[in-house]
């Protein structure tokens, strides 16, 4: 079946079953207007999706709405589509591109230059039952691909649903906010919904590494939530919990990202272009694990994100400070799945470190999970510890080192380094002699010790690493540091075993240095 692309620029796309049709939305009506001819007002978004479902090949939906359309909003110069029921699922490969509406502009700002300056012109808003879903890839066709870009979508139970095994992409959308990305689409706690509901295997890409791909997921219950075990999910370049400018919170009332049982997932990446800003979420920025069932996250990596700051990384936009329940602050990143989670949060390769800042409680809480490699991050301004390993799913404060490290819990309650002595080395360096009391039967060797310049509970700058071999287990070893390591008051020390179990922070404070006469150096 052939279809005419609608509107003033209509073109007839002819012939074979693999050729795409272009269906142009020319009315904000929610009726199933699916003729999509050059005649005016005969192609609604609902109708265009239904029409595409009846066509072979990969189809594309564009927009050419006029100011005379009833859905035009003069104050904001955009068009609003009020959905009275759930939007139809797409049954074939489909691209929906809101940036085709005249006046719409994709974001051009890099992460180093700001948030998103995108200008959206088409808003899809739920006006019916709170259980209605927005753009939904669920289909009897497991391999039908959805590419969605350039729409503001809000007030649905889920603004976008990703299902099946195709490589869906969600790019350049504002989910949960008004058309400008300056405020939540609705106030209050009811009916906020989820930004992207991950319902299938994937691989899916939410955002991307170009400015035009950056999404805003804010003013929701949660930004991205999984209800399945996707493989290959990529969450990159998004603003989750902030306004489009990346300068202030538009709080998600629960989580920025809430994932369970994933395989090969990357949140962020090793280039600035892949950086997510995950800030202003009232509970955790990233939660890994749900309920009491054990879950594993093989090869899940969280790299290069700004968590708890503005787009520049310099101003606080805290996570975990729930205004409705200030006595129950939350960690910025929470793992409580049970079992071997096999997660890497940050790292020491180029671009891998996350900036985790200004959290309402701990920076990272590892409760019951093991193999959470979390040493390679910077931490600033948390109200709690940078890293808390716990035997339960709840924070329990500093865990004292135990003889031989026989205790168990989050990250096996890996013992942190104990400083035995500090010795000057030349005019501007000193040596820390330290010991990690982990018996070979209770930790996997080699261990690694990482030293940071610290201030209070902050980890401000990574300075050095020292590997402890099996032959050196439970012996005193040394790490050499510049005297400037103590410029802010402390050296922070982390131990990580070969399976990725990172300890809580061990600290060597400034006051013993003065007591030992270092002030003359």
């Amino acid at each position: 079946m052939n279809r005419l692309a609608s509107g003033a620029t209509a073109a007839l796309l002819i012939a074979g079953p693999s050729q795409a049709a272009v269906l142009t939305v020319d009315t904000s009506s929610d009726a199933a207007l699916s003729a999509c001819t050059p005649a005016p007002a005969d192609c609604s978004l609902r109708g265009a999706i239904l029409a595409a479902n009846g066509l072979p090949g990969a189809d594309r939906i564009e927009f050419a709405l006029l100011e005379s359309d009833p859905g035009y909003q003069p104050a904001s110069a955009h068009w609003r589509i009020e959905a009275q029921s759930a939007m139809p699922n797409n049954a074939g490969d489909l691209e929906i591109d809101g940036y085709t509406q005249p006046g719409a502009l994709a974001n051009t700002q890099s992460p180093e230059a700001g948030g998103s300056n995108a200008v959206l012109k088409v808003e899809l808003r739920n006006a019916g039952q709170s259980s209605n879903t927005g753009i939904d890839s669920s289909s009897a066709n497991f391999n039908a691909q959805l590419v969605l870009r350039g729409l503001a979508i809000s007030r649905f139970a889920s603004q976008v649903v990703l299902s099946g095994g195709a490589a869906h992409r969600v790019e350049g959308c504002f989910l949960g906010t008004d058309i400008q990305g300056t405020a939540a689409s609705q106030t209050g706690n009811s009916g906020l919904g989820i930004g992207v509901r991950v319902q299938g295997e994937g691989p899916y890409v939410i955002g991307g590494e170009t400015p035009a791909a950056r999404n805003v997921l804010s003013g929701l219950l949660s930004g991205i939530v999984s209800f399945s075990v996707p493989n290959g999910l990529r969450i990159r370049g998004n603003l989750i919990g902030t306004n489009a400018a990346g300068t202030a919170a538009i709080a998600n009332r629960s989580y920025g990202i809430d994932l369970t049982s994933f395989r090969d997932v990357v949140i962020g990446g090793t280039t600035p272009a892949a950086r997510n800003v995950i800030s202003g979420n009232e509970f955790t920025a990233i939660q890994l694990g749900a309920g009491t069932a054990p879950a594993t996250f093989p090869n899940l990596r969280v790299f290069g994100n700004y968590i708890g700051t503005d787009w520049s990384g310099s101003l606080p936009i805290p996570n975990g400070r729930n205004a409705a329940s200030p006595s129950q602050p939350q960690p910025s990143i929470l793992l409580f799945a049970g079992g071997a989670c096999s997660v890497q949060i940050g790292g020491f390769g180029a671009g891998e470190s996350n900036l985790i800042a200004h959290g309402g409680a701990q920076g990272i809480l590892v409760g019951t999970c093991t193999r959470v490699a979390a040493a390679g991050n910077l931490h600033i301004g948390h109200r709690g510890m940078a890293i808390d390993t716990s035997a339960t799913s709840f924070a329990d404060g500093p865990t004292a080192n135990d003889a031989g490290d026989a205790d168990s819990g989050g990250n096996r309650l890996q013992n942190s380094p104990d400083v035995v002595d500090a010795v000057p080395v030349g005019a501007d360096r000193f040596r820390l002699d330290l010991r990690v009391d982990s018996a070979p039967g209770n930790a996997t060797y080699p261990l690694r010790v990482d030293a940071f310049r610290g201030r209070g509970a902050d980890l401000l700058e990574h300075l050095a690493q020292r590997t402890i071999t099996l032959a050196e287990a439970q012996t005193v070893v040394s790490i050499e540091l510049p005297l400037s390591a103590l410029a802010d008051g402390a050296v922070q020390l982390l131990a990580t075993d070969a399976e990725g179990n990172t300890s809580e922070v061990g600290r060597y404070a400034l006051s013993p240095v003065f007591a030992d006469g270092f002030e003359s150096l």
Side-chain angles (χ1 to χ4, degrees), residues 422 430 483 486 508-519 521:
F430 69 102
L483 194 61
L486 287 164
Y508 185 70
L510 180 63
S511 54
V513 173
F514 285 118
D516 289 342
F518 277 53
E519 64 267 52
L521 291 180

Side-chain angles (χ1 to χ4, degrees), residues 315-484:
L315 298 177
I317 305 179
N319 296 291
R321 300 189 186 185
N322 184 356
S325 185
S327 64
Q328 296 179 311
Q330 302 294 317
S332 296
I333 300 178
L334 171 62
L335 301 97
F336 64 102
C341 289
S342 302
V343 173
Q344 183 176 352
I345 302 174
F348 299 99
E352 291 181 346
S353 178
N354 300 287
L355 172 59
I356 308 173
H358 310 296
Q362 301 77 20
I364 302 172
L365 172 57
V366 184
T368 69
C369 267
T370 60
R371 302 185 184 182
V372 179
N377 303 289
L378 302 181
H379 291 263
I380 298 173
H382 303 308
R383 290 182 174 177
M385 304 165 61
I387 301 173
D388 186 358
T389 59
S390 172
T392 71
S393 297
F394 303 98
D396 62 1
T399 300
N401 288 339
D402 63 312
D405 209 359
D407 53 1
S408 62
N411 272 357
R412 298 172 63 171
L413 299 183
Q414 169 65 50
N415 278 349
S416 59
D418 286 317
V419 174
V420 176
D421 199 2
V423 180
V425 179
D428 59 357
R429 300 187 67 80
F430 69 102
R431 188 188 78 223
L432 284 183
D433 296 333
L434 54 89
R435 178 174 179 264
V436 180
D437 187 8
S438 295
N442 297 324
T444 305
Y445 279 80
L447 298 181
R448 189 189 70 238
V449 172
D450 289 287
F452 293 79
R453 178 172 59 87
R455 177 185 60 224
D458 295 348
L459 280 67
L460 302 174
E461 178 188 5
H462 184 250
L463 299 171
Q465 288 183 347
R466 170 63 155 90
T467 297
I468 301 176
T469 66
L470 180 60
E472 296 171 314
Q474 296 177 282
T475 66
V476 175
V477 298
S478 299
I479 188 167
E480 190 172 307
L481 300 168
L483 194 61
S484 60

Side-chain angles (χ1 to χ4, degrees), residues 134-187:
I135 301 299
D136 193 340
S137 69
S138 302
S139 170
N141 184 351
F142 183 79
N143 293 313
Q145 182 189 31
L146 171 68
V147 177
L148 173 66
R149 61 172 63 91
L151 295 184
I153 309 175
S154 64
R155 305 192 181 192
F156 292 93
S158 295
Q159 318 319 306
V160 180
V161 179
L162 302 182
S163 300
H168 304 313
R169 303 201 311 272
V170 180
E171 303 173 344
C173 291
F174 292 178
L175 305 181
T177 74
D178 62 9
I179 194 73
Q180 295 96 350
T182 56
S185 174
Q186 64 182 34
T187 59

